[in-house]
Amino acid sequence: MAFVFDPMGTTVLITGASSGLGRGFAAEFARRGADLVLVARRRDKLQALADELSERYGTTSTVIAADLAAPGGVDEVVSGLEGRGIRIASLVNNAGYGVAGPFLRSSSKDATGQIDLNITALVKLTHALLPHLTAHAATKPGTGVLLTVSSVAGHAPVPDFAIYAATKAFVLSFTEALAFELKETGVKVLALSPGPTETEFFAVAGNDDQSFGPRETVDQVIQTTFRALDRARTPASVVSGLRNKVQAVGAGVLPRGLVLDVAGRVSGR
Ligand SMILES: NC(=O)c1ccc[n+]([C@@H]2O[C@H](COP(=O)([O-])OP(=O)(O)OC[C@H]3O[C@@H](n4cnc5c(N)ncnc54)[C@H](OP(=O)(O)O)[C@@H]3O)[C@@H](O)[C@H]2O)c1
């Protein structure tokens, strides 16, 4: 089967590939014939995924276990690529986490840790690896992507998820600006905003009570993403799921005070 977005024979680096959406991205890129560089902290999970995808699709995966939020974590990944002579065509900035609860009661580690991973590591990795993407696209335009994972939470302030929502607003704004800057390069640039999705996210966040509403499956979010990538003119931003789209559009057009009020109620305030 021929895909419009065809990364066959290219290499894609996916952060946060040990679970949830990252695993889903890895499987779809492998199904489309790409080789993978899988990054997260849990090496055993990455290796198990690499083995599974190799058996299923015959793809080669390189595993780099690294804590991207730690000082030197991104450098480890970049030097891991250099040491192996790997040049990538696509970068999926997916690793991220949130911590639920009032800011006033959050630990300093949680408050800044989300920024370290969701923003600082993402910007550092993008800065280091974007030249790979533009060099690849110069010869094979449209076959590589800078994909970042924002969130529907990035479209509005979210009380009790204040830092997380703010980091995702950064990711959305940063990616949309890069989409414009890079539009003549042949690199597709896409910010994905999932809504609540069935992954380890809510258990990690310390809020697994379904209060944010029905959850999509990983497969649904991956399908939304690749439908956008399969478009000749990939949009700079896509929201997964009708309910989440309505929420994101509403947040953009309604008065900010009302948006904040509604978001506060959804958070149970
Ligand atoms: N699930 C949702 O409802 C939802 C909604 C909107 C947006 N998102 C976003 O989607 C992205 C993927 O999350 P998910 O839902 O798939 O959650 P997940 O299942 O918890 O996956 C998070 C991934 O990030 C990795 N990670 C966490 N901390 C890391 C660190 N310090 N260094 C390297 N890797 C790290 C984890 O691997 P290790 O633990 O092995 O390091 C894991 O692979 C995140 O950016 C999240 O904010 C999720």
Side-chain angles (χ1 to χ4, degrees), residues 6-264:
D6 186 3
M8 168 95 74
T10 70
T11 303
V12 49
L13 186 148
I14 301 168
T15 67
S18 61
S19 78
L21 291 170
R23 271 186 68 91
F25 290 126
E28 183 57 23
F29 271 102
R31 192 172 80 88
R32 293 183 181 221
D35 287 328
L36 309 166
V37 179
L38 305 174
V39 177
R41 291 166 301 181
R42 289 172 290 178
R43 180 185 296 279
D44 53 335
K45 295 218 172 236
L46 295 177
Q47 194 54 58
L49 178 63
D51 294 345
E52 185 189 321
L53 296 178
S54 158
E55 196 166 307
R56 214 149 113 207
Y57 302 113
T59 46
T60 303
S61 298
T62 302
V63 166
I64 303 182
D67 182 347
L68 292 170
V74 170
D75 296 336
E76 265 175 57
V77 174
V78 174
S79 59
L81 292 182
E82 280 168 8
R84 294 170 175 91
I86 296 174
R87 303 280 301 175
I88 60 164
S90 295
L91 171 61
V92 181
N93 279 313
N94 163 74
Y97 79 109
V99 180
F103 178 72
L104 193 56
R105 291 215 297 272
S106 63
S107 69
S108 154
K109 182 174 169 285
D110 277 345
T112 56
Q114 293 170 80
I115 297 170
D116 292 343
L117 181 62
N118 302 1
I119 296 181
T120 309
L122 180 146
V123 171
K124 268 186 166 173
L125 202 56
T126 304
H127 192 261
L129 298 181
L130 198 50
H132 287 219
L133 271 59
T134 52
H136 170 82
T139 54
K140 291 191 170 170
T143 60
V145 60
L146 171 64
L147 171 60
T148 65
V149 183
S150 174
S151 168
V152 76
H155 294 253
V158 184
D160 289 349
F161 249 125
I163 297 273
Y164 177 71
T167 65
K168 293 301 181 177
F170 176 98
V171 172
L172 178 61
S173 169
F174 173 64
T175 308
E176 287 179 315
L178 286 194
F180 192 91
E181 287 186 27
L182 295 171
K183 67 183 175 184
E184 307 300 337
T185 64
V187 178
K188 284 179 182 269
V189 181
L190 177 64
L192 166 70
S193 295
T197 309
E198 212 45 78
T199 67
E200 295 177 10
F201 177 85
F202 288 101
V204 171
N207 173 345
D208 216 357
D209 62 7
Q210 305 267 342
S211 55
F212 286 95
R215 297 180 189 176
E216 286 202 298
T217 64
V218 168
D219 280 353
Q220 286 173 312
V221 178
I222 300 304
Q223 275 173 27
T224 302
T225 308
F226 280 83
R227 263 201 308 272
L229 293 178
D230 278 334
R231 284 167 61 175
R233 293 175 74 89
T234 292
S237 159
V238 66
V239 178
S240 186
L242 183 60
R243 190 173 192 272
N244 304 317
K245 274 194 187 84
V246 170
Q247 226 172 290
V249 170
V253 297
L254 293 171
R256 200 70 170 164
L258 178 60
V259 170
L260 181 55
D261 213 44
V262 171

